[in-house]
Amino acid sequence: MADVARAAGVSSMTVSRALRRDAAVNEETRAAILDAAERLGYVFDATAASLRARRTDFIAATIPSINNANFADTVRGLTDGLAARGYQVLLGYTNYDMAEEERLVEQLLRRRPEAIVVTGGRHTARTRTLLAKAGIPVVETWDLPDEPIGSVVGFSNADAVEAMVDRFVAAGFRRIAFLGGDAARDTRGTDRRRGFLRAMAKHGLDAARLIAGGTPPISMREGAAAMAALLDRLPDTELVICVSDLAAFGALTECQRRGLAVPETIAIAGFGDYDIAGISVPTLTTIDPFPREIGRRAAELILGLLDGTVTGPRIVAIMPQLRPGGSALLPDADGAGRANAETAQKSPSAP
Amino acid sequence: MADVARAAGVSSMTVSRALRRDAAVNEETRAAILDAAERLGYVFDATAASLRARRTDFIAATIPSINNANFADTVRGLTDGLAARGYQVLLGYTNYDMAEEERLVEQLLRRRPEAIVVTGGRHTARTRTLLAKAGIPVVETWDLPDEPIGSVVGFSNADAVEAMVDRFVAAGFRRIAFLGGDAARDTRGTDRRRGFLRAMAKHGLDAARLIAGGTPPISMREGAAAMAALLDRLPDTELVICVSDLAAFGALTECQRRGLAVPETIAIAGFGDYDIAGISVPTLTTIDPFPREIGRRAAELILGLLDGTVTGPRIVAIMPQLRPGGSALLPDADGAGRANAETAQKSPSAP
DNA sequence: CTGAAAGCGCTAACAA
DNA sequence: TTGTTAGCGCTTTCAG
């Protein structure tokens, strides 16, 4: 910057001002400075600026896996919302491992992000402490924790599945199985399974049809293997609710390989409204948790928290929506539209 | 750090040493320091350390889209390889837009990464200049550019598709169509299409069966729409090669909806070896470009370049491999194994 | 093994 | 509108 200042015949402070849009600098001077900077191949050093200004323009975010379209959508919503205001997302993934999350959070906090977004509401005690003491906005997503660390943008995975089961039971299904959600590491998966169990108990139905999916995230292939196990062990099952659309699609293919008609012989439902759900034959009955919306709302919330528009933590409830498909037929009941997409109420105070 | 020093009764320099593993510090002193740091909730400030030490431990990376399993795999390979040595990947996505890439690269370079990985070999002139002048290792991936900026870890998309067409022609296919690769923004897609055209010309076949896929990345849905167009316009097509497995799967579903047998009535091939390729019914004949391996190799190369083990830029050729599936049958020819995975030659000098 | 001094490249705060 | 001074929180360098 000193070099640029010299070349432009001004002080480095003027260069600093010229390089930012906000400050008041004579237009000619600014032009000369920008020209000099370009000529010299000067590249601004954000590290030094961050140290001095105590603003890094970093927002940290952790997701369980980068190879998952749902979380990728959330990251997109988040990044797009924040990039517009000059923030850079510092992303890390935890491999669905809370210990790994702890390491990652600790490392990310060293970079002095101005806010941090984490996935899920369950963390190690140390992670919670680190986050709580970081002195920056914390947003937990994809869940509705009982004791939020700070803000939340999410939904209850258990409630979403429970509501789905309610619909299926009302439609006459009785012998319903749940595929996946057995791995403790995937807390959202276990929550969905819990919602299934709760719903079945509520309706007085047998909830013993539980099929393990393996290590998270359950791939299509594992979904197929689990479906094979189910068909061998409990062939009279009427409906399989899967922990995700990927597992559901794998399950669907297993039926196709065996020549079983879906949904006639056995119905299948998923979770996540992944692309595959809308294009497979048949399409998948699933639940849309609005992943992109989660990211967008988190970004919005963070911006508000940082500029003082929003004071104190907020709980933003996302309303997952059932998307009927061909893999598990439901009589249409509610004529619901996309509640969250544009209209849903913002930050209904606390839970 | 001064606070910790005071609490531990040492100078801040000793704290600095204790906090790093390398430096020589009395074990008791170190323990006392770490204890004090924990008690005080001290969090190391990487920004200040970066400024002074002129080492940010950042490696920048840009990918076209975060919602793409192929690129996500590359990022995983990269991150895993680099995290082991304490580097943090600073990730951004370009939306398949070179202008956006330019903005992103400029922004990332301000963070003073120690190396930068970009996707593809085509960039704006300014991006090239920025990268070339950055004074850090530059790695272009997923391509084999004619004029690399620095190092390369990739393969020729055109050659890969050409080789695939060769195999299909040898197997007797003649009326072959190509789906996608029409959007200039997706340079890898256009390269694949070019490989198709080149191969068809070479074999004296009609290469006019080109079906537009729309804006990249082509989704499954767009693949289905394009397939519908193809079936309407050129119903006698024997084989459709798609720009990606996602498009190929969409195309497959369109056939299923129309009751057309794949591969009997029409054969379909994809590119990318996405998860869907291995599980769909039928499985997809595709090309595996070893996305994870690309990331892993890039990480390896960067580490070598940074610690001086490797001197000067390197071209690492990845050898994509045909994966025969049920969607387009091929008589088995080569009994090739996974050339790249473990063994392939490293950095065969220049291209 | 430990400490003191200096400074990384920028910007806040103040002055002109 | 521009400049001066000081210092962000670390680590390099040198000395002990």
Side-chain angles (χ1 to χ4, degrees), chain A residues 192-211:
Chain A
R192 289 171 201 163
R193 188 158 170 265
R194 188 175 325 126
F196 166 77
L197 296 173
R198 193 203 291 156
M200 294 297 275
K202 184 175 73 183
H203 295 292
L205 295 173
D206 172 26
R209 293 169 190 261
L210 298 171
I211 303 296

Side-chain angles (χ1 to χ4, degrees), chain A residues 175-228:
Chain A
R175 292 191 297 279
I176 310 175
F178 192 84
L179 192 160
D182 51 298
R185 294 168 57 191
D186 179 10
T187 60
R188 280 156 301 287
T190 53
D191 285 347
R192 289 171 201 163
R193 188 158 170 265
R194 188 175 325 126
F196 166 77
L197 296 173
R198 193 203 291 156
M200 294 297 275
K202 184 175 73 183
H203 295 292
L205 295 173
D206 172 26
R209 293 169 190 261
L210 298 171
I211 303 296
T215 8
I218 304 190
S219 65
M220 293 175 173
R221 199 176 294 268
E222 288 159 335
M227 187 62 163

Side-chain angles (χ1 to χ4, degrees), chain A residues 50 56-64 75 78 88-95 97-119 123 126-127 130-131 134-139, chain B residues 42-48 50 56-59 79 83 86-91 111:
Chain A
S50 296
T56 57
D57 289 339
F58 274 136
I59 305 292
T62 74
I63 52 176
V75 171
L78 185 71
Q88 161 101 44
V89 171
L90 200 51
L91 185 68
Y93 56 88
T94 66
N95 272 319
D97 180 348
M98 280 173 27
E100 186 62 33
E101 182 191 48
E102 180 179 312
R103 273 191 293 280
L104 188 60
V105 164
E106 187 158 18
Q107 206 198 314
L108 290 173
L109 289 178
R110 291 171 156 226
R111 301 287 183 179
R112 293 290 185 271
E114 298 179 37
I116 182 164
V117 179
V118 297
T119 305
H123 319 276
R126 188 168 149 70
T127 302
L130 286 169
L131 292 173
I136 55 175
V138 174
V139 183
Chain B
Y42 168 76
V43 176
F44 182 87
D45 188 330
T47 305
S50 297
T56 57
D57 288 340
F58 275 135
I59 306 291
T79 305
Y87 290 101
Q88 161 99 40
V89 171
L90 201 50
L91 184 69
R111 301 287 185 178

Side-chain angles (χ1 to χ4, degrees), chain B residues 45-69:
Chain B
D45 188 330
T47 305
S50 297
L51 178 59
R52 175 65 241 226
R54 309 173 134 283
R55 289 197 67 211
T56 57
D57 288 340
F58 275 135
I59 306 291
T62 74
I63 51 176
S65 163
I66 196 176
N67 269 69
N68 178 294

Side-chain angles (χ1 to χ4, degrees), chain A residues 30-108:
Chain A
R30 163 172 278 141
I33 289 170
L34 294 181
D35 181 61
E38 186 65 37
R39 251 191 359 261
L40 297 177
Y42 167 77
V43 176
F44 183 87
D45 188 329
T47 305
S50 296
L51 178 59
R52 173 65 238 223
R54 312 171 133 283
R55 288 197 66 211
T56 57
D57 289 339
F58 274 136
I59 305 292
T62 74
I63 52 176
S65 163
I66 196 176
N67 268 70
N68 177 294
N70 272 181
F71 297 132
D73 276 336
T74 295
V75 171
R76 266 207 304 162
L78 185 71
T79 306
D80 293 349
L82 294 171
R85 293 274 279 275
Y87 290 101
Q88 161 101 44
V89 171
L90 200 51
L91 185 68
Y93 56 88
T94 66
N95 272 319
Y96 293 86
D97 180 348
M98 280 173 27
E100 186 62 33
E101 182 191 48
E102 180 179 312
R103 273 191 293 280
L104 188 60
V105 164
E106 187 158 18
Q107 206 198 314
L108 290 173

